[in-house]
Amino acid sequence: MKVLLIEDDLTIANFIKKGLKEAGFTVDHASDGIDGLHLALGECYDVGIVDLMLPKLDGLSIIERMRERKINMPVIILSAKRSIDDRVKGLQHGGDDYLTKPFSFSELLARLQALLRRSTYVVEASTLTVHDLTIDLLARTVIRSGKKIDLQPKEFALLEYLMRNERHIVSKTMIMERVWNYNFDPQTNIVEARISKLREKIDKGFDDPLIHTIRGLGYVLKKPGD
Amino acid sequence: MFQITAFCAAYWLINAVLYHDVDEDLREDIREFKMLYNAGAIHRVQHEIQREMMTDDQSKVFFRLLDSHGNILFNSDLSHWPGLVTDSKVIQQLISVADSVTQSIEISGHEYATRVIYGVIAPGTILHIGESLEEQVEVMEVLLVVFSVMFVLVVPLASFVGWLMARQAVQGIEEVSQTAANIESGQLDQRVSVKARGEEVQKLANTFNAMLDRIRDLMLEMREMTDNIAHDLRSPLARIRAISEGALSSHMSITEHQVAASDTIEECDRLLQMINATLDVAEAEAGTASTQNEAINLSKLVNDACELFEPVAEQKEITLLCRVTADCRIDGNIQYLQRMLANLLDNALKYNASGGQVRVELVCTEKNITMTVSDTGIGIPQSDQIRIFERFFRCDQSRSQHGCGMGLSFARAVARSHGGEISVTSQPGVGSTFTVMLPFVK
């Protein structure tokens, strides 16, 4: 997997580069807008990470010009601007996700992987299966080891999100954004309560728990031994 | 200066009107005699003149009939008019050009000027009428005296009264400006005294004082906020510094270093959350013109929020009740409104005890939308109730509780940016009710 990183702050760029290399990615780095655009237009990447405030050419313009040339690689926007207006503007200009600085590397990695999976879906499966748990997206049913489990609509949506990201950590913010469409993190730990309720239904009474908490990072759904 | 001009103008105008009237009378006479002449020749005219002279004062009026050479054909008693002469130039003029000519002349033995008219009443026959201007001149003299007296007495009096009134008004304004100057030099408690003055000045003073009250409140809030921010920012910074210093100086194991690093991250996140919250409130306060307004189904938003918080309530063994008027719509910023409600619910659950209750209600009428969140929690002391919406205000003065005291400020900013208001009623130990009123705009 090849990542294009356009970021002028060298400390942050090195921190991202190091992390991504450890996670098995190849990273090309440009520290200004013009260099970044040249790389984006000349090479082929699986995903781009683009800072908004760049010397010579700003991030939004880079994305716009890429989209004009029909380069459709998914792009995560990095920005110190965190207002709703800025976020909306970023997504309208062709960004696929928006992450405000400062951010944790695990959050960036999780979002990167989610984007990659989304862009590589080919055929939409109607069922998802992890270990002995199967959900039917059309019939909205959940079956574990042959036993039917009743879920409320939002619980189902949460489980679906976890299963689509099998083996990958999803952060609380990502869950709030994707499942509830809330672009902020309420102080009370809503996600935690929600997950523990889901656990009661999915994992309780079964030998192997599927939903795991990764302290400080988020949650992951995986089969035993993974 | 203005008064002098005004008096001169009035004097001149009245004078002109009086003289105009005299001329009109004279011309009217000429027309009348012309008609008499046409009707019954010269003796009718002579007869009429004699009749007129019986009623008129002979010292004030005279009539003469002249031929085209200026020779007298007939005249009234001229014993009062010894110096009367015929103006031969006028006779010439009458023959060649004009119908009638008027002029003012001085006649010896007469104190006042005389207005005369020469008018052709028949070919070769000219009527010469004179009328003393005694009355008119007397009127003008009286007028001059009246005007002079007025000028000498009334004008200074009026000026004085005007000056007094102006001084009073200006004094009020001056006091306002003096107060403003004092405030500029730092005395924020100064106010303009509202005495019985001109209505406008009093209004100005009232408005000015109201503005000063608002400024003082803002200043106090700001001062306190700055203190609170400083305190809230300093604490995590102090901890970060302590952790990092510890990590540098002592011989720590790898695990201990990792703990130090993760503690640092946690403190950074706390700082970040605080800064973000401050910015969010500022953004929401400025956000009336936000481009993000859209049509929102508020009923769905409230139901979703209840659904979202249900597990948290369950965990804390709190009953969460939701009563929502169906299909209530509003134009607004969905993220702000979601967050406002989330903040209220957050507080209602946080300051509640197990076995308690949280009730969310959304009532829509044609006029407005009322959203209430009530709890059976610890409540808010009376003294704090007006202050809880201030930024960084926390009832808990030790500031040890988690959260940064921005939730309610944000809620207020959102309510206001949607043209509404938020209020609270609370009884310590019984519970609190927060009410958001939003205008129904369709």
Side-chain angles (χ1 to χ4, degrees), chain B residues 72-102:
Chain B
I72 297 168
L73 301 176
F74 175 80
N75 59 258
S76 59
D77 182 3
L78 292 181
S79 54
H80 292 280
W81 310 85
L84 183 66
V85 288
T86 306
D87 191 335
S88 55
K89 266 190 221 145
V90 173
I91 303 297
Q92 285 304 310
Q93 215 180 331
L94 279 175
I95 290 162
S96 53
V97 207
D99 240 4
S100 66
V101 171
T102 48

Side-chain angles (χ1 to χ4, degrees), chain B residues 203-311:
Chain B
K203 212 187 261 177
L204 173 70
N206 279 329
T207 315
F208 191 75
N209 285 341
M211 183 188 78
L212 289 179
D213 286 345
R214 176 94 183 101
I215 291 174
R216 187 203 49 209
D217 290 351
L218 280 175
M219 289 280 288
L220 285 177
E221 194 179 328
M222 188 88 98
R223 216 170 280 167
E224 194 158 335
M225 198 177 91
T226 323
D227 287 352
N228 289 343
I229 292 176
H231 178 274
D232 284 7
L233 293 183
R234 209 174 264 145
S235 317
L237 278 175
R239 286 194 287 268
I240 290 170
R241 201 170 192 293
I243 294 165
S244 306
E245 233 180 85
L248 270 183
S249 61
S250 61
H251 302 284
M252 275 185 172
S253 68
I254 292 286
T255 327
E256 281 170 324
H257 270 120
Q258 280 173 345
V259 169
S262 85
D263 285 350
T264 307
I265 291 173
E266 215 168 281
E267 293 297 339
C268 282
D269 287 348
R270 196 165 299 160
L271 268 177
L272 191 66
Q273 196 195 355
M274 209 142 47
I275 293 166
N276 287 347
T278 318
L279 291 176
D280 287 340
V281 174
E283 196 188 310
E285 276 177 351
T288 29
S290 171
T291 48
Q292 298 305 311
N293 272 11
E294 52 186 316
I296 298 164
N297 185 338
L298 206 56
S299 308
K300 184 176 179 304
L301 188 147
V302 174
N303 279 327
D304 282 355
C306 286
E307 196 270 344
L308 181 63
F309 277 86
E310 176 58 41

Side-chain angles (χ1 to χ4, degrees), chain B residues 335-349:
Chain B
Q335 313 236 16
Y336 282 175
L337 290 169
Q338 275 179 340
R339 209 156 154 182
M340 173 179 76
L341 185 56
N343 286 350
L344 293 177
L345 272 167
D346 212 53
N347 283 344
L349 291 169

Side-chain angles (χ1 to χ4, degrees), chain B residues 3-221:
Chain B
Q3 285 97 329
I4 295 173
T5 318
F7 275 126
C8 289
Y11 185 82
W12 177 82
L13 207 69
I14 293 167
N15 195 32
V17 168
L18 286 175
Y19 280 71
H20 178 78
D21 283 354
V22 173
D23 283 6
E24 272 303 304
D25 280 353
L26 290 173
R27 278 194 205 100
E28 183 60 34
D29 282 348
I30 294 290
R31 270 196 293 277
E32 261 175 40
F33 283 106
K34 206 173 186 174
M35 271 156 64
L36 279 172
Y37 190 95
N38 287 344
I42 198 158
H43 66 272
R44 283 285 295 270
V45 176
Q46 291 171 0
H47 184 253
E48 181 59 26
I49 289 172
Q50 278 165 340
R51 216 171 57 80
E52 288 248 346
M53 293 314 291
M54 312 252 280
T55 52
D56 285 350
D57 183 349
Q58 293 182 0
S59 66
K60 286 181 183 165
V61 184
F62 71 82
F63 291 88
R64 290 198 309 165
L65 272 173
L66 309 171
D67 67 8
S68 54
H69 301 293
N71 302 318
I72 297 168
L73 301 176
F74 175 80
N75 59 258
S76 59
D77 182 3
L78 292 181
S79 54
H80 292 280
W81 310 85
L84 183 66
V85 288
T86 306
D87 191 335
S88 55
K89 266 190 221 145
V90 173
I91 303 297
Q92 285 304 310
Q93 215 180 331
L94 279 175
I95 290 162
S96 53
V97 207
D99 240 4
S100 66
V101 171
T102 48
Q103 55 181 200
S104 292
I105 53 169
E106 297 287 339
I107 292 171
S108 61
H110 278 259
E111 198 184 335
Y112 305 103
T114 307
R115 192 72 178 161
V116 298
I117 188 164
Y118 294 87
V120 180
I121 57 171
T125 311
I126 296 163
L127 182 60
H128 186 199
I129 310 172
E131 192 180 332
S132 166
L133 289 173
E134 185 180 343
E135 269 175 42
Q136 284 72 24
V137 172
E138 267 171 1
V139 167
M140 290 317 290
E141 270 170 1
V142 170
L143 210 62
L144 194 64
V145 170
V146 169
F147 275 18
S148 302
V149 169
M150 265 169 72
F151 194 77
V152 172
L153 292 180
V154 177
V155 168
L157 191 73
S159 306
F160 180 68
V161 171
W163 176 76
L164 269 184
M165 283 165 71
R167 198 180 71 126
Q168 206 180 11
V170 168
Q171 225 174 16
I173 293 166
E174 231 160 46
E175 202 178 317
V176 173
S177 105
Q178 184 58 45
T179 313
N182 286 344
I183 286 160
E184 208 176 14
S185 64
Q187 305 169 33
L188 249 184
D189 291 332
Q190 291 253 332
R191 291 294 176 273
V192 183
S193 64
V194 187
K195 287 185 217 136
R197 284 210 191 90
E199 201 185 333
E200 290 80 9
V201 177
Q202 219 166 317
K203 212 187 261 177
L204 173 70
N206 279 329
T207 315
F208 191 75
N209 285 341
M211 183 188 78
L212 289 179
D213 286 345
R214 176 94 183 101
I215 291 174
R216 187 203 49 209
D217 290 351
L218 280 175
M219 289 280 288
L220 285 177
E221 194 179 328

Side-chain angles (χ1 to χ4, degrees), chain A residues 82-83 85 154 187-188 194, chain B residues 276 280 283 292 307 346:
Chain A
R82 52 178 299 284
S83 78
D85 283 353
K154 284 291 178 194
Q187 285 172 29
T188 307
R194 187 60 68 157
Chain B
N276 287 347
D280 287 340
E283 196 188 310
Q292 298 305 311
E307 196 270 344
D346 212 53

